[in-house]
Amino acid sequence: MTSPTDLLDLAIEIAREAGELARRRRTEGVAIAATKSALADIVTEADREVEDFIRARLVAERPADGFLGEESGAERGTSEITWVVDPIDGTVNYAYGIPAYAVSIAAVTGEPDPQQWTAQAAAVFNPAVGELFQAARDAGAWLGGQRLAVNAEPSVAGALLATGFGYDPATHAGDLARVARVMPLARDLRRIGAASLDLAYVAAGRLDGYFERGLQPWDHAAGALLVTEAGGVVGGAPGGRPGREMTIACGPALFDALTAAATGV
Ligand code: LIP
């Protein structure tokens, strides 16, 4: 199999090119192409163009690999690698001009199912601020030349936590009840609006932890590897892995308490 570091080199190369395309399109003005699961769940022309660009670059470089993308769906490959891609994570931030969005690219092996796959390489690139978070399996997580490490445990003031809310208004009451359960653990909350950046910030120690219900596989595929390669723990429902039911990421000392509060179990 191709080494994780070789997969990472390709992910980084494509993430930088795709991020520059997304940034350039943003300066030219954003066109909303459609809404998806709810009125608030938008897709821009740039989302579609950037994913098409990433997919074409991957096909050219590694035609046998599989692909799972937010906008163009899944295609099984004949190699052991599947690329899991969110072309612009934080689409609403992108549409409003908030500089908190990222190209998220992960290479995984095994079934293209977050409950079964093994992440091998991850690149999360925010072109608005020029930060590229990267990780290869068993080779650590990095931001440029800085090796990343999660916060071993929160301060005595409590944990700085991030979360998110679904696009469907019908889910908001449950999300707010979850925040009420978690708040006793927190010094404060952040709502950044891009799961891949929430996860990258946990890996970088900018957040003590993150929890969110309802994420798609492409939202967390790359960021979860950043966290584990930075010494953190990722999970979902108790004993589970990140998924639609729940995604949790933090340092080891906080994990059990955050999981219990976020899941209500
Ligand atoms: C977004 C996530 C965010 C979540 C939003 C949405 P998108 O992904 O990154 O954490 O709260 O509801 O799922 O739609 O911008 O790719």
Side-chain angles (χ1 to χ4, degrees):
M1 183 189 92
T2 306
S3 73
T5 49
D6 286 346
L7 292 168
L8 177 59
D9 288 345
L10 181 57
I12 289 170
E13 180 181 321
I14 296 175
R16 287 195 180 281
E17 295 169 7
E20 178 50 28
L21 174 59
R23 188 198 62 76
R24 189 165 67 248
R25 290 290 181 258
R26 184 69 196 76
T27 63
E28 296 165 354
V30 173
I32 307 300
T35 56
K36 298 188 290 188
S37 64
L39 280 177
D41 186 5
I42 59 172
V43 56
T44 69
E45 295 292 353
D47 284 277
R48 291 176 171 171
E49 182 184 6
V50 171
E51 182 161 319
D52 290 347
F53 171 84
I54 293 169
R55 193 160 192 169
R57 287 280 283 109
L58 289 169
V59 165
E61 296 283 346
R62 296 182 56 90
D65 291 358
F67 186 88
L68 173 58
E70 177 171 16
E71 310 308 343
S72 60
E75 182 172 353
R76 274 194 178 271
T78 55
S79 78
E80 69 280 12
I81 302 295
T82 299
W83 295 89
V84 186
V85 172
D86 191 335
I88 301 177
D89 183 37
T91 294
V92 174
N93 287 348
Y94 182 77
Y96 276 77
I98 298 171
Y101 61 91
V103 174
S104 180
I105 299 176
V108 304
T109 50
E111 279 299 302
D113 172 353
Q115 301 309 310
Q116 299 181 61
W117 70 39
T118 301
Q120 301 294 336
V124 173
F125 179 45
N126 179 349
V129 300
E131 288 190 325
L132 192 149
F133 300 86
Q134 63 186 76
R137 186 170 181 75
D138 298 331
W142 301 80
L143 173 60
Q146 175 196 356
R147 183 149 189 170
L148 304 182
V150 299
N151 293 337
E153 57 187 311
S155 81
V156 292
L160 185 61
L161 300 174
T163 191
F165 305 102
Y167 288 120
D168 179 357
T171 66
H172 290 170
D175 292 342
L176 292 172
R178 180 172 305 106
V179 167
R181 290 197 306 268
V182 171
M183 208 61 205
L185 296 174
R187 66 186 299 164
D188 203 348
L189 287 182
R190 297 290 183 268
R191 198 313 188 216
I192 292 163
S196 60
L197 291 179
D198 290 313
L199 291 162
Y201 293 176
V202 171
R206 297 178 180 176
L207 291 168
D208 291 304
Y210 165 64
F211 63 99
E212 183 164 355
R213 182 209 55 78
L215 292 186
Q216 297 287 359
W218 43 79
D219 291 321
H220 59 73
L225 184 63
L226 295 174
V227 172
T228 55
E229 286 297 324
V233 185
V234 297
R241 301 178 64 168
R244 291 283 283 166
E245 188 174 343
M246 182 57 63
T247 295
I248 291 170
C250 57
L254 181 60
F255 186 74
D256 289 346
L258 182 55
T259 298
T263 61
V265 175

